[in-house]
Structures are given as structure tokens and as C-alpha cells.
Amino acid sequence: MGDWRCTVHRIDEPTDCVARLSLVLADDLTPTEVQDRARMLARQFFGHDVDVGEVEPENWSTRRPPST
């Protein structure tokens, strides 16, 4: 399984982060397929006026600041 992350934003406001998605998907997916899957999930949960930023492999050993 591959761990991925991306941000969700409104289509007309790409700098306004609505949410962050962490995904665990099959290893054999390409980054384009992962982005398509993330986009589908984001629109299912946040509406059709959202898009996702570039997907990146999730590195669980990297500490991130807490969400605000």
C-alpha cells in the first residue's frame, strides 16, 4: 500500500486550503491515478467546486505543524 497526501482547495481560490487528505492506496497506482482518486474523494466529501493540489508520498517520520 502507498501512503499519499494532498490539499483540497476551492477551484476559484487555489491558495485557500479547505482540507488535507491522507490516502492509503494500492502500490501499483501512478501519481496521476492517485490524483484522480483524490479529486474524486474530495468532490464526494466537499462538493464539486473543489480540486486537489499535487499529490505527494506521505512521509510519516516528518513532523508537521498542527492544523489550525
Side-chain angles (χ1 to χ4, degrees), residues 8-16 18 39 43 47-52:
V8 179
H9 60 270
R10 301 274 173 224
I11 290 174
D12 56 349
E13 296 181 37
T15 59
D16 185 24
V18 174
R39 185 175 289 117
R43 290 180 177 168
H48 291 281
D49 62 338
V50 299
D51 203 357
V52 295

Side-chain angles (χ1 to χ4, degrees), residues 8-30:
V8 179
H9 60 270
R10 301 274 173 224
I11 290 174
D12 56 349
E13 296 181 37
T15 59
D16 185 24
C17 179
V18 174
R20 294 171 199 229
L21 292 180
S22 291
L23 307 164
V24 179
L25 301 169
D27 279 338
D28 59 344
L29 295 177
T30 67

Side-chain angles (χ1 to χ4, degrees), residues 28-56:
D28 59 344
L29 295 177
T30 67
T32 301
E33 292 170 319
V34 172
Q35 187 148 11
D36 289 343
R37 184 73 54 92
R39 185 175 289 117
M40 179 197 68
L41 290 170
R43 290 180 177 168
Q44 180 180 350
F45 292 109
F46 298 102
H48 291 281
D49 62 338
V50 299
D51 203 357
V52 295
E54 197 163 325
V55 294
E56 300 174 342

